Amino acid sequence: MADRTLGAVPSPTVATEASADARMLAAEASRRRTFAIISHPDAGKTTLTEKLLLYAGQVTEAGQVKARRNRRAAVSDWMEMERERGISISSTALRFELDGTIHNLLDTPGHRDFSEDTLRVLGAADSCVILLDAARGVEEQTLKLFEVARERRVPLITFINKYDRPGLESLALVDEIERELGLRAAPVTWPVGRAGELRGVIDRRDGGFYRFERTAGGATIGAEQRLDAAEAAVEAGDDWRVAAEEVGLLDEVGAGLDRDSYLAGSSTPVFFGSALQNFGIRMLLDALADLAPAPGPRPGADGRERELDADFSALVFKLQANLDPQHRDRLAYVRVCSGRFERGTQATNARTGKTLRMAYAHELFGRRRETLDAAFPGDVVGLVNAGDVRVGDTLYAGEEVRFTPIPTLAPDRFARLRNRDTGRYKQFHRGVAQLESEGVVHVLHEPELGTQAPVLGGAGQMQFEVARYRLEREFGAAVAIEPAGWTVSRRIDPADAGTVARAPAGQLLADGHGRVLAAFKDRFALERFERAHPEVALDPFIVR
Ligand code: G4P
C-alpha cells in the first residue's frame, strides 16, 4: 500500500501554489521567441541583427554591434583570430524585449566553414529567419542550412534584404524560393517599385501602403508611415498599380498567409525590406511576435514529450572555452526546455549521470555577460565551468529526460593532425579531447592506424585552423595539419564496415563513440560505391 505521508497528497495551498507556478511558467514561455537567422555570408545578417537591437532599444544607434570593417571590435567577436581575419566564428545569443515579447536571437557564424555550429544552433531554436540578398536569391550556403532546418521542421520566415538597391524581380524571387526551397512562398508584404527604386511595400494583410524613406546612415528607426490605397495610388502612381496587380496575381494563385502551414514548415511568410535602411524591420519583429512559435513541449529520445511545466531541463548546444583570456573558463550555452532555471540549483547530465550545480550562470549579450538568476523555457543561459558537458547533452532536474541529439552533417573536409613535439604528448591529447567535446572538429581515426594518428573532420579548412590555433595557444601543443584526400563522407552502420573496407574507393573512419564513417575521394567515388552496394545505408547526417 502506498505510503501516505504528508505531501504525497498535496494540501490545497500547495496545489494552488503549484498551479500558480505552472501558470506563471506558461505565461513566461508564451512570450518568448527563440530564433536564429540563417543566410549566406554578406546577405546582411550582422546588419539585420544590429537593427533588431536598435528597434528593441538595446542599442541607441546602429553600428554598436557591428563595428565597421576597419575598426572591428564587434560585440560578438571574441577570438583574436576572428579579429585578425575580420570574420565572426563564434555563435552568441542575444536577448531583447519588445512590447512584452522576449526575443532570444541565437546568432550563427557567417562563414560556411562553421556550418556545423549553425546546425547546433538550429537544434536550440524554435524558428528561423532566412535572410536572402535581393540581388542573389537563394545561395548555396543558405540551401545547405535550410536542408537542416527543414529536416527539423523549423518554421521559417523569409526576409528579402537589400531591396533598396538593384536586384531580382520580386516575382522571380518568390519563384526561386518555391523552386529551391520547395516551400510555398506567402508574401506578407509586397514591394512597390522595383529593387533599387523601392517606394514602399503593400501589407497584404490590410492592403495598406508603407512608405519607404531612407534614414540617415540607417542609424535611427525608420518612419514606415502607412497610407491607404487611394493615397498610395497618388503617391506611387504606376509603381503602385503594378504592385497592386501583382498582389492580385498572388491572391489568385493562393499565395496567402497560412499560419498552420508555416508552423508545419511547409510554407514561408515572405517580407521585403532593407536592413541597412531600416525598412521592414518593424514588420519582421511583429511577425516574430505574432506568427513565430513560442517554446512548446520538446520530444525526448524515447518519444515522450517534456512538458513546459515539468521540472527544469535544458539542451547544451554550444560550448566555448576561454572567452576571457584572464579567466580561462569554459562556458556551456544551454537552452532551457522546461521548468524554471534558478541559479545555484542542481541538475543531472543525462549522458554521464553526474550532477552539477549551476552556480555561475550568465545572460549573454555577445561578449558582455551579466549574472542571471532565473530563466524560462526558450531562454539561453551560459553556464560557467559546467564540468564535463558536451554539445548535445541534456541537463535535467526531477524526472529523467534525454533530448534527441542535434544532428551534424557528415564531414566533407578532412585533415591529418600530427603532434610535432612528442614531449608534449599529454597536452596534445588533452587539447584534442577538449576540442572534440566542444564540437570544434570531429576527431576520427583510420581503424588500421589506430587512435594515435587522428584525422580531423569538418565542414571547412578554417575549422582546422581554429583547432590548430587553440591547440597551440591554449594547450601548448605543437601540431601540424596535413590535408587528407577525401571530400565527402557518409555515416554507415558498423556492420557494413567490412564492405567499405573492401571497396577500392572507400576509406573507413571511426570516432571514439562507436560511429563509423565511409569517406570518399569525391562525389563520383561515392556514387560508384552507392551503385555497387545499394544494400549499404549511407547517412549524410552523423546523429539523428
Ligand atoms: P553578413 O553578416 O551576412 O555577412 O552581412 P553584413 O551585415 O556584414 O552585410 C554585408 C554588406 O551588405 C555590408 O556592406 C552591409 O552594409 C551591406 N548591407 C546589409 N544590408 C543591406 C541593405 O539592406 N541594403 C544595402 N544596400 N546593403 C546592405 P559592406 O560594404 O560589405 O560593409 P560595411 O562597410 O557596410 O560594413
Side-chain angles (χ1 to χ4, degrees):
M1 199 175 144
D3 178 13
R4 301 190 60 135
T5 47
L6 257 185
V9 179
S11 71
T13 356
V14 174
T16 319
E17 273 172 24
S19 62
D21 267 3
R23 272 201 305 277
M24 194 265 278
L25 199 91
E28 286 296 338
S30 72
R31 68 192 192 106
R32 277 161 170 79
R33 300 290 180 273
T34 302
F35 69 102
I37 302 175
I38 57 178
S39 63
H40 194 87
D42 258 7
K45 183 153 63 67
T46 316
T47 311
L48 178 64
T49 303
E50 181 177 284
K51 298 309 171 74
L52 295 177
L53 296 174
L54 175 73
Y55 274 63
Q58 285 268 350
V59 293
T60 46
E61 195 176 301
Q64 286 187 6
V65 175
K66 180 193 175 190
R68 294 293 153 213
R69 226 130 259 182
N70 297 334
R71 49 180 184 88
R72 283 228 172 222
V75 174
S76 58
D77 286 357
W78 62 277
M79 246 167 89
E80 223 173 290
M81 190 169 133
E82 286 179 307
R83 284 197 291 274
E84 282 164 12
R85 289 165 184 256
I87 53 161
S88 175
I89 295 172
S90 49
S91 308
T92 48
L94 301 172
R95 179 179 149 108
F96 54 92
E97 184 170 348
L98 185 68
D99 300 337
T101 301
I102 294 179
H103 294 275
N104 291 307
L105 166 54
L106 311 182
D107 191 14
T108 51
H111 199 284
R112 177 203 180 278
D113 285 11
F114 301 101
S115 50
E116 283 195 55
D117 280 348
T118 303
L119 306 190
R120 296 188 186 109
V121 170
L122 291 186
D126 293 320
S127 73
C128 225
V129 172
I130 292 201
L131 181 70
L132 303 180
D133 180 331
R136 298 175 167 271
V138 179
E139 294 173 87
E140 184 223 326
Q141 173 74 0
T142 326
L143 210 54
K144 189 166 173 181
L145 299 172
F146 165 75
E147 297 286 331
V148 178
R150 183 165 54 187
E151 162 97 4
R152 300 191 67 83
R153 301 199 146 266
V154 181
L156 304 157
I157 291 178
T158 305
F159 187 85
I160 299 181
N161 191 30
K162 305 198 188 181
Y163 223 75
D164 58 303
R165 68 178 198 194
L168 303 170
E169 298 264 346
S170 43
L171 283 171
L173 281 161
V174 165
D175 267 358
E176 187 163 325
I177 293 169
E178 301 211 326
R179 203 176 51 245
E180 296 287 334
L181 305 185
L183 289 178
R184 188 170 65 77
V188 179
T189 63
W190 193 252
V192 177
R194 54 171 61 221
E197 292 161 26
L198 184 66
R199 311 287 298 263
V201 292
I202 299 179
D203 188 327
R204 289 181 70 207
R205 289 166 299 188
D206 65 3
F209 172 67
Y210 290 81
R211 185 198 275 157
F212 169 55
E213 282 164 62
R214 290 175 190 268
T215 59
T220 51
I221 291 176
E224 294 188 11
Q225 197 195 353
R226 183 182 186 279
L227 304 181
D228 64 26
E231 292 166 318
V234 175
E235 163 128 355
D238 278 349
D239 286 336
W240 169 261
R241 274 183 287 283
V242 171
E245 259 174 49
E246 288 169 342
V247 166
L249 208 67
L250 293 172
D251 291 341
E252 267 172 38
V253 298
L257 178 63
D258 162 31
R259 185 158 188 254
D260 288 342
S261 66
Y262 155 66
L263 291 178
S266 56
S267 76
T268 176
V270 180
F271 292 82
F272 289 81
S274 160
L276 188 68
Q277 294 293 338
N278 300 347
F279 188 68
I281 310 290
R282 179 80 221 184
M283 292 169 194
L284 178 62
L285 279 162
D286 288 348
L288 284 163
D290 299 341
L291 294 174
R298 195 178 182 92
D302 62 2
R304 281 195 306 147
E305 291 198 321
R306 182 81 162 187
E307 294 298 329
L308 286 176
D309 63 357
D311 287 315
F312 167 78
S313 67
L315 178 73
V316 181
F317 69 95
K318 171 89 189 163
L319 290 177
Q320 229 171 37
N322 308 327
L323 253 89
D324 181 348
Q326 309 282 302
H327 294 100
R328 300 260 144 192
D329 51 12
R330 199 156 99 103
L331 195 66
Y333 289 67
V334 306
R335 179 220 145 104
V336 180
C337 300
S338 68
R340 182 187 159 107
F341 165 86
E342 270 172 70
R343 192 160 68 89
T345 53
Q346 280 206 343
T348 304
N349 184 333
R351 181 178 52 83
T352 61
K354 286 190 191 145
T355 53
L356 59 117
R357 218 173 124 75
M358 298 176 295
Y360 301 101
H362 290 292
E363 182 178 0
L364 303 150
F365 186 87
R367 305 187 88 184
R368 222 165 63 212
R369 306 193 212 162
E370 278 151 27
T371 301
L372 181 82
D373 291 316
F376 296 94
D379 285 341
V380 172
V381 178
L383 298 175
V384 183
N385 293 336
D388 170 33
V389 291
R390 287 170 176 249
V391 167
D393 279 356
T394 302
L395 308 181
Y396 69 89
E399 196 187 340
E400 183 175 353
V401 61
R402 195 167 186 163
F403 295 118
T404 329
I406 302 173
T408 58
L409 289 164
D412 53 17
R413 294 280 190 289
F414 297 89
R416 290 204 163 77
L417 180 67
R418 257 190 337 102
N419 176 17
R420 286 199 288 118
D421 182 351
T422 42
R424 304 200 139 254
Y425 177 83
K426 258 207 217 136
Q427 287 87 338
F428 176 78
H429 280 278
R430 203 152 38 84
V432 171
Q434 170 68 27
L435 296 185
E436 191 195 19
S437 77
E438 283 179 38
V440 173
V441 279
H442 294 275
V443 178
L444 306 158
H445 63 271
E446 294 158 85
E448 61 276 22
L449 298 183
T451 55
Q452 298 308 313
V455 170
L456 303 183
Q461 184 62 26
M462 219 178 297
Q463 236 177 309
F464 305 145
E465 288 181 32
V466 169
R468 178 179 44 200
Y469 178 94
R470 291 192 48 192
L471 286 169
E472 292 182 347
R473 289 279 174 115
E474 290 167 28
F475 298 91
V479 301
I481 286 184
E482 291 151 8
W486 314 292
T487 64
V488 58
S489 73
R490 293 288 183 263
R491 186 178 176 190
I492 58 160
D493 189 316
D496 291 323
T499 313
V500 175
R502 283 189 297 276
Q507 171 63 51
L508 277 183
L509 294 171
D511 70 6
H513 311 283
R515 289 182 284 239
V516 183
L517 299 180
F520 300 89
K521 186 164 70 74
D522 51 32
R523 290 205 163 264
F524 302 113
L526 166 65
E527 282 163 20
R528 270 201 306 279
F529 179 85
E530 272 178 320
R531 278 197 301 273
H533 299 283
E535 76 286 5
V536 175
L538 297 161
D539 192 341
F541 289 95
I542 289 205
V543 187
R544 273 193 192 267

